[in-house]
Structure formats: C-alpha cells, structure tokens
Amino acid sequence: MTDEAVQTPFTPPADRVEIGARIDALMPQVLTDLTEIVAIPSIADERVVDPAECVRAAEWVRDAFLTEGIPVELTETPDGTYAVIGHRPAPAGAPTVLLYCHYDVQPILDEHEWLSPPFELTERDGRLYGRGSADCKGNLVAHLAALRALRADTAATDPAAYPVGFVLVAEGSEEQGRASLDRYAEANPELFRKADVILIQDAGNFANGVPTLTTSLRGAVDVVVEVSALEASLHSGEFGGAAPDALAALIRMLATLRDERGDLSVPGIPTDQVWPGVEYGEDAFRSDAGMLDGTERIGSGAVADQLWARPTLTVLGIDAPRVVGAVAAIQPRAAAKLNLRVPPGADPAALRDALIAHLHAIAPWGVKVETSAGELGHPFSADTTGESFTLLSDALTDAYDGVATVTSGGGGSIPLTNVLAGINPEAEIVLLGVPDPESRIHSTNESVDPNEIRRIALGEALFLQRLGARA
Ligand SMILES: [Zn+2]
C-alpha cells in the first residue's frame, strides 16, 4: 500500500536527528528485549499454558520498566492475572502520559503452520517472526526504547530524566476478552485520571512505512448458539431423511446471516454506513488479506466502509464431529460461536439482541435453540481535534522521514479505550502501534518489521519530548 504514502521533501528537525541517532544505537538492545519477551509463552489461558509463564512475563516487564525509572509493580486484576502498573509523577507543570500495551499473547493455533518455532524470535527476509512479535510485545519494546532514548545518559532515578510524567499499564490478559483491566480501571479510577494523554499502543500502521493513528474502532460481542433436536445421535441410514438433524438446522440458520452477495442480512442490523476517512485500495486489500486468485471481496460498498464503518459477523467455530473419525450418524446437537463487530454509531446491545432474535426466529423444524452472549465491547471514536493528536501526528511524520500521518479505522476492538474515556473524559486518547498488514496478528507466522518498531519508538520519543517542552 505504499502508493498511499504522501511524502514531501524532508529536512529532519534537530531533535529528530538527535533522538533518531539514539534510537538507532538502541536497536540491538530492542531486538534482545524482543527476543527475551517473545520467548516467554504468555498466553493468559491456564488450559493452554501454565499461569507461571504469565507471571514470568509480568516480572520481565516489571524489571524492564523499573530499569527505566518507572516505579511499576505486579497488580492483580479481577481475573487473577497481573497487570504491570506504575506511576512516575510529572515534573512541575508538565503533563502526564499513560503508556499502554499488553504482554499476553494469543494462542499459537496450529503449531505445524508456523515456519519457525512461535516462541523463538526468528528473522526471515528482514521481518521478525514469533507470537506476539507485533501484538503487542513489539509495542512493549518500543515503549522501552522511547524511554531509553528520552533519558539518554541521565540516570533513570534522576527526577529530571523525563520531561513528562508517566502512568504505565501493561495488561496481562487483553487477548482473552475478559475485560479484567477494564474492571480494575473502573475500581481504581484515580490512577487513570492522572493522565492528560493516553497512548494506546495496540493498534498498527495502515501500510508498512505509513504512520497511522487509529481514530475509530469497532466494538464486538460473541454469541454462542446451540441447537438440539434429538435425545441422542441416530444411524443416518435408518433415521436419516425424517429425523430432525441439529447440524443441518444450524447450517441453515448460519446460511441466513448473509445474502448471496455477502452482505449481512439480519433484520435490525443496518449495513449501509460509509467511512469518511482514508480509502483502502482494492488491490492493497486483496494483497493484505492474502486472497487467492479468483476469489471476490464479499459484500457491497468500499473496503473502508466494510472494515471500519459497518458491522460484520464471523463464524468463529462450530461444534460438530471432525471429518476424521466421523461416523454415519445424525447429530442430536450442534453449536456455533459467532463474533459480531459493531461500528461507532451503533449500539452493540441492540445489534446483539437483533442477532439473537433472528437466530430464534429462523430456526427450522422446531429444533430447540439456546443462545448466550459474552461481554459487550463498545465501539470507539477518537477526538482528533486536540493538541496532542496534532503533536503526535507531526512527531510520527518526522520519525517516518516526512511521510504524512494518516487516520484510519481499526478492525479490532479495544474495549479499554471506552472505559478510559468514561473515567477520564478530559484525556486525549490516541491509538497507534508497530504492526503492519503483513504482521498477521492473531494468526500463525505473526511477524513485525523491526523498522516499524524503530520508527514508532522514535515518533513516541519525539512526541514525549515536544509535549514536555511545551509545558
Ligand atoms: Zn493486542
């Protein structure tokens, strides 16, 4: 998508030259940091990984930020995982910036699909592969690099080491959707109210080399639908053709969620919204998504409308017998987990209720339908008119050698943004991060471009320096 980049002749300002040189010199340490933290399999699901690994990761994060003079500690959040949280007061009259990231990672999915071991940071063709390399451990090490570059040779304990104050929050179970930090923040709002600016470093760049501030996020809610029809499974030869088949019923129900074109067709879920910001090119999308030759983009509207302005639904999983080992039987029960994404401007509870009502309404053959829903993730829309937004936008442009910073929507959901906006409505919240479309976050063979870590860390350091200098 580099055709989207708008570059003007660039003469780097003096602070860009100076801090840029420091960040360049710090890159070997950044890569060591990333190697160490990626090596700890911090999946916050005790069914997958021993929780001791998450504690080990939390301790690594704590020690790294303590070294930089941020007085953090392990803080238990309501789900029993630890966030690494701390506050370093601002110099007199200077603002405080909340730096957010998370140190937990997604499960690795199919290990055989990984071309190198998921917890061993591995370089291939200039990219660094490993689970969490981009989401979000790459952002974590970018925060560390920015802090180191800012204080340069000043001792971390020196009160004058930094031009601004910090609240540091490294969450320990972001990928689990348990809203644990959200509940912690609601119970401990004072800490979060100290921030004048909140950098949620868990988004990413619209294209490699194009600095991006994410200004809109879809909310999300998961719905599980379970269909039952028989007391037990039945021989498909003896009973098939007459007995109500729970799996066939579920397939019919799921098929009604979209029309032939691919647009959602659930009554009460509107799908005609239009995205006002940067366009997402058709070819770029095909390439970013890795669409196979001959496949068509589904649904109507432009790509940006579909990704950032409209709701969507994805079937995340289906409970049904596996192909290998399947027997000739009619299924008495089947279930699916659906993921509903909700754009700014829509009410996630209303869309969830519309989906659930639809599933009950279209169930065929009198089958029993039960539904349950997960936590509601509300959509987010950033205020882009604040001073910090402009300051950060300019700092990123300088860090990216003059490439204009763009604003885009984010496909994912970060419910914490809404919680923080509720607790501290005065603070400016901006979202950015090191992943690019090639990062394949949440998928196998996740990777990061180390240049994106370098440039984001530089942009962050420049922003913090300039913010402090303005005070
Ligand atoms: Zn993340």
Side-chain angles (χ1 to χ4, degrees):
M1 248 183 297
T2 40
D3 54 318
E4 309 281 349
V6 179
Q7 184 149 21
T8 43
F10 178 63
T11 311
D15 59 351
R16 161 69 174 81
V17 174
E18 189 187 349
I19 298 180
R22 288 188 214 154
I23 293 277
D24 289 349
L26 287 167
M27 281 310 285
Q29 160 108 56
V30 169
L31 299 186
T32 304
D33 285 351
L34 191 59
T35 303
E36 287 181 13
I37 190 63
V38 164
I40 307 175
S42 46
I43 301 165
D45 183 345
E46 61 191 19
R47 296 167 302 180
V48 181
V49 164
D50 183 344
E53 295 290 358
C54 291
V55 174
R56 201 153 70 87
E59 288 170 346
W60 187 99
V61 174
R62 176 196 60 197
D63 294 348
F65 282 100
L66 282 177
T67 302
E68 301 314 322
I70 313 295
V72 287
E73 50 188 43
L74 266 55
T75 306
E76 191 171 353
T77 59
D79 70 351
T81 62
Y82 293 95
V84 180
I85 295 181
H87 171 227
R88 180 181 164 115
T96 294
V97 180
L98 188 152
L99 304 181
Y100 170 89
C101 60
H102 61 85
Y103 68 83
D104 70 308
V105 296
Q106 284 281 337
I108 59 168
L109 305 171
D110 185 353
E111 187 160 12
H112 302 292
E113 278 186 27
W114 285 81
L115 299 177
S116 52
F119 298 110
E120 210 175 292
L121 192 71
T122 305
E123 197 251 302
R124 277 197 302 281
D125 299 328
R127 294 186 72 88
L128 302 170
Y129 289 80
R131 172 54 90 223
S133 58
D135 177 19
C136 185
K137 289 170 172 175
N139 286 306
L140 197 158
V141 300
H143 279 323
L144 287 169
L147 291 173
R148 277 184 207 124
L150 263 187
R151 72 179 171 87
D153 298 325
T154 314
T157 48
D158 188 329
Y162 298 112
V164 295
F166 293 108
V167 173
L168 189 283
V169 179
E171 185 176 4
S173 60
E174 193 275 341
E175 301 290 12
Q176 296 299 321
R178 294 192 289 247
S180 189
L181 184 71
D182 305 21
R183 297 206 296 275
Y184 175 84
E186 278 162 349
N188 300 275
E190 312 75 37
L191 174 77
F192 297 86
R193 287 197 186 114
K194 293 183 195 300
D196 300 290
V197 184
I198 297 176
L199 298 191
I200 303 282
Q201 216 137 298
D202 192 21
N205 285 337
F206 172 65
N208 186 285
V210 178
T212 305
L213 294 174
T214 299
T215 56
S216 148
L217 294 170
R218 288 193 288 198
V221 58
D222 289 340
V223 171
V224 172
V225 54
E226 186 173 339
V227 174
S228 41
L230 297 165
E231 288 171 358
S233 61
L234 294 173
H235 190 289
S236 62
E238 277 180 50
F239 293 95
D245 178 327
L247 182 53
L250 179 65
I251 291 167
R252 285 188 67 87
M253 290 160 67
L254 297 179
T256 66
L257 300 178
R258 290 181 185 281
D259 61 22
E260 308 87 273
R261 188 161 179 189
D263 285 314
L264 289 190
S265 49
V266 178
I269 300 188
T271 58
D272 56 355
Q273 300 92 327
V274 175
W275 174 253
V278 67
E279 260 313 322
Y280 195 147
E282 191 79 34
D283 293 343
F285 177 77
R286 288 197 70 89
S287 150
D288 292 342
M291 288 171 61
L292 299 180
D293 282 346
T295 56
E296 294 167 16
R297 179 163 65 85
I298 67 172
S300 51
V303 177
D305 302 337
Q306 295 183 318
L307 300 185
W308 303 327
R310 297 181 182 181
T312 192
L313 257 171
T314 304
V315 179
L316 301 184
I318 296 182
D319 279 359
R322 292 174 62 88
V323 170
V324 175
V327 298
I330 302 167
Q331 295 309 309
R333 177 197 162 272
K337 184 174 185 178
L338 310 178
N339 175 251
L340 176 64
R341 298 276 169 181
V342 181
D347 173 10
L351 266 54
R352 171 201 62 195
D353 293 347
L355 172 61
I356 287 176
H358 174 72
L359 289 167
H360 284 277
I362 45 99
W365 318 321
V367 295
K368 269 188 67 188
V369 177
E370 283 177 69
T371 47
S372 60
E375 294 266 352
L376 282 183
H378 289 264
F380 171 77
S381 185
D383 173 13
T384 58
T385 60
E387 278 181 80
S388 293
F389 191 88
T390 308
L391 204 61
L392 179 58
S393 179
D394 292 347
L396 286 171
T397 290
D398 285 345
Y400 279 75
D401 297 325
V403 178
T405 300
V406 300
T407 55
S408 85
S413 306
I414 307 177
L416 180 67
T417 49
N418 289 302
V419 173
L420 296 183
I423 291 173
N424 185 351
E426 301 299 312
E428 279 188 65
I429 301 180
V430 281
L431 297 103
L432 69 163
V434 302
D436 63 18
E438 261 189 79
S439 289
R440 292 170 55 103
I441 62 169
H442 294 201
S443 183
T444 53
N445 298 303
E446 176 179 350
S447 69
V448 70
D449 176 351
N451 278 314
E452 294 290 51
I453 299 182
R454 178 176 62 78
R455 293 182 287 224
I456 289 287
L458 175 53
E460 181 178 348
L462 283 173
F463 165 70
L464 296 169
Q465 172 105 330
R466 293 172 185 178
L467 185 70
R470 219 181 35 170

